[in-house]
Amino acid sequence: MKEKLINLKNEFIEKVNQINTLLEIENLNKEFLWKSGKLQEILKWLKDLSVDEKKVIWPEANSLRDFIWIELENKAKQIEEQRFANIEKEEKIDVTADFETKGLWHKHPISITSNLLEEIFISMWFKVEDGPQVENERLNFDMLNIPDNHPARDVWDTFWISDDINKDLQSWEKVLLRTHTSPVQIREMLKWNLPIKIIVPGRVFRYEQEDARHTCNFYQLEWLVVWEKVTFWDLKGTLETAMKKLLWEKTTLRFRPSIFPFTEPSAEIDVSCQICSGTWEKNGKSCSMCSGSWWVELLGAWMVHPKVLSGAWIDPEIYSGFAFGMWIDRIAAQRFGVNSSRMFYQGRLKLNEQF
Ligand code: PHE
């Protein structure tokens, strides 16, 4: 029997020296150590031996089992190390390599504009906030003083997240793609961390008839200040500074009275059209950006409605708020001389590559 064990050991050593994959190790393990393996086959005869013989053979069989086991483990380690060494040779990555990246990628004009706006407002000590694109009805409408059945809901009609999901929910739980970045105003007010001085760049969605100025999703920049003594001049001054930095010194702004349920009073602010530079026509046609009117509507604004403040537990007797919501796409169009915001969403590499 001793001889059988020695033969088995030799057979194993011979085989283990020839293999070089993990699968083969697995097979050897089965062949020698498993219940139906060769070692067990020999040990079956152990019962026929005398006690004295058992005392000698049993430890030898055990040490052979350990030997095989350790050998297999070492071999596996060796195979893995070899594999990694080969990978290192074959797939060497030179992290110091200097590739020519110029011309390989471009930021989208909307990202460029949004980043510039952020930089300008950060330099005026504004904090940049963010909010979810999938919003609930309460924040997108109700808490902005647009209750159910309010006519303004038509203007801001949007995409609702499946009626099946919405049908059993309370109004404030219903889910939609946000119409504007204004719900982030409420989110910020509810944090109760006054004074507030934030901007919120982000994507918004509307059920729109598309044309040169309207797309069913676009980017807005919300601006909100809530403090004890803010005035209209703070809003006007900040806005004019930002626009002159972003467009050019000659840029003029026009303020028009308007109506928004969440601001009182309200205004719409236009910027002089840079696409046609006031000539009202481009390539012999009436300018599609300003429809030949010389002005492009850029944002809605003015004092936060007292109802909105008190709805968020902020006392309108003490604090006042100023807000605006700006169309980043339109600024991008103006800045880069693109005569339709629709082009920004058509995946035109040729357009992006120019900026
Ligand atoms: N949320 C408004 C819109 O999308 C813009 C706005 C923001 C108007 C803040 C006033 C104050 O049209």
Side-chain angles (χ1 to χ4, degrees):
M1 197 148 180
K2 203 170 172 178
E3 213 173 297
K4 277 190 183 161
L5 287 178
I6 291 171
N7 287 344
L8 189 68
K9 187 172 179 175
N10 289 338
E11 185 190 341
F12 171 75
I13 291 174
E14 203 178 306
K15 285 195 170 165
V16 86
N17 282 336
Q18 286 168 11
I19 61 170
N20 36 34
T21 67
L22 292 176
L23 185 70
E24 285 169 315
I25 290 196
E26 194 59 41
N27 291 339
L28 274 195
N29 186 12
K30 273 185 205 162
E31 184 180 338
F32 285 87
L33 296 184
W34 276 29
K35 251 187 179 168
S36 52
K38 288 183 169 157
L39 185 60
Q40 283 301 323
E41 197 62 32
I42 298 173
L43 293 180
K44 258 191 217 159
W45 307 105
L46 207 63
K47 59 181 184 341
D48 299 336
L49 300 180
S50 69
V51 177
D52 283 346
E53 278 174 323
K54 272 186 197 162
K55 271 191 190 160
V56 181
I57 295 295
W58 186 240
E60 280 197 18
N62 267 345
S63 71
L64 178 58
R65 196 199 52 218
D66 290 349
F67 171 79
I68 295 178
W69 184 246
I70 290 168
E71 278 298 294
L72 287 179
E73 269 197 339
N74 286 344
K75 189 76 190 181
K77 236 187 246 167
Q78 210 181 316
I79 291 173
E80 276 295 85
E81 271 165 20
Q82 188 60 39
R83 196 167 69 88
F84 281 123
N86 287 345
I87 288 180
E88 214 171 293
K89 262 188 244 145
E90 285 162 17
E91 301 179 11
K92 202 164 179 196
I93 298 170
D94 180 1
V95 288
T96 62
D98 186 15
F99 292 108
E100 179 67 75
T101 48
K102 198 164 164 279
L104 280 182
W105 63 275
H106 298 266
K107 263 195 193 168
H108 193 278
I110 291 182
S111 306
I112 300 175
T113 315
S114 183
N115 293 351
L116 281 171
L117 279 164
E118 280 175 39
E119 267 173 37
I120 291 173
F121 285 109
I122 287 172
S123 75
M124 297 186 210
W125 299 98
F126 278 79
K127 201 169 69 167
V128 183
E129 279 297 334
D130 198 7
Q133 290 176 14
V134 179
E135 192 47 282
N136 63 50
E137 185 181 3
R138 189 144 106 122
L139 291 179
N140 193 75
F141 288 128
D142 300 67
M143 290 190 75
L144 285 167
N145 201 23
I146 316 174
D148 218 0
N149 302 325
H150 191 290
R153 286 224 180 183
D154 279 350
V155 185
W156 281 290
D157 203 2
T158 180
F159 302 93
W160 295 78
I161 304 293
S162 171
D163 264 354
D164 291 347
I165 303 175
N166 275 323
K167 88 175 171 290
D168 300 325
L169 300 177
Q170 303 283 359
S171 129
W172 60 87
E173 293 171 317
K174 284 192 182 167
V175 188
L176 44 79
L177 295 185
R178 68 175 176 192
T179 317
H180 39 190
T181 38
S182 301
V184 190
Q185 284 190 29
I186 308 291
R187 286 179 178 274
E188 189 63 22
M189 287 182 203
L190 290 174
K191 283 186 197 161
W192 245 81
N193 194 4
L194 297 168
I196 297 172
K197 207 176 161 194
I198 58 159
I199 54 159
V200 187
R203 189 179 192 175
V204 303
F205 306 82
R206 277 187 209 177
Y207 182 70
E208 284 277 19
Q209 178 79 38
E210 298 215 343
D211 61 24
R213 276 162 302 174
H214 301 92
T215 46
C216 60
N217 77 98
F218 56 98
Y219 286 79
Q220 276 193 333
L221 183 108
E222 196 81 12
W223 181 96
L224 174 70
V225 175
V226 179
W227 218 324
E228 278 178 46
K229 282 183 197 125
V230 269
T231 67
F232 182 66
W233 298 108
D234 298 311
L235 181 136
K236 191 166 184 272
T238 325
L239 197 61
E240 269 176 357
T241 314
M243 285 308 109
K244 284 192 191 290
K245 270 196 190 164
L246 200 69
L247 302 173
W248 28 93
E249 263 308 302
K250 279 190 272 162
T251 304
T252 41
L253 296 177
R254 177 175 77 165
F255 292 70
R256 282 182 289 121
S258 182
I259 297 174
F260 294 104
F262 37 92
T263 44
E264 180 57 39
S266 307
E268 270 174 311
I269 301 171
D270 306 331
V271 67
S272 45
C273 182
Q274 319 283 335
I275 303 281
C276 62
S277 322
T279 56
W280 305 344
E281 58 177 48
K282 180 110 182 143
N283 307 329
K285 285 194 238 147
S286 160
C287 172
S288 59
M289 199 27 97
C290 66
S291 313
S293 73
W294 165 224
W295 296 105
V296 180
E297 185 196 331
L298 206 58
L299 53 98
W302 219 340
M303 283 189 80
V304 178
H305 198 292
K307 265 195 182 172
V308 173
L309 288 174
S310 56
W313 315 108
I314 292 174
D315 189 347
E317 299 284 324
I318 304 176
Y319 295 100
S320 48
F322 281 81
F324 67 66
M326 175 189 280
W327 274 247
I328 297 182
D329 304 34
R330 290 189 192 167
I331 299 182
Q334 289 292 320
R335 188 181 161 90
F336 295 115
V338 175
N339 66 359
S340 168
S341 334
R342 258 187 299 188
M343 283 202 219
F344 292 139
Y345 300 100
Q346 291 168 343
R348 295 180 181 220
L349 284 182
K350 282 234 159 59
L351 178 89
N352 294 359
E353 275 164 12
Q354 297 169 46
F355 310 118

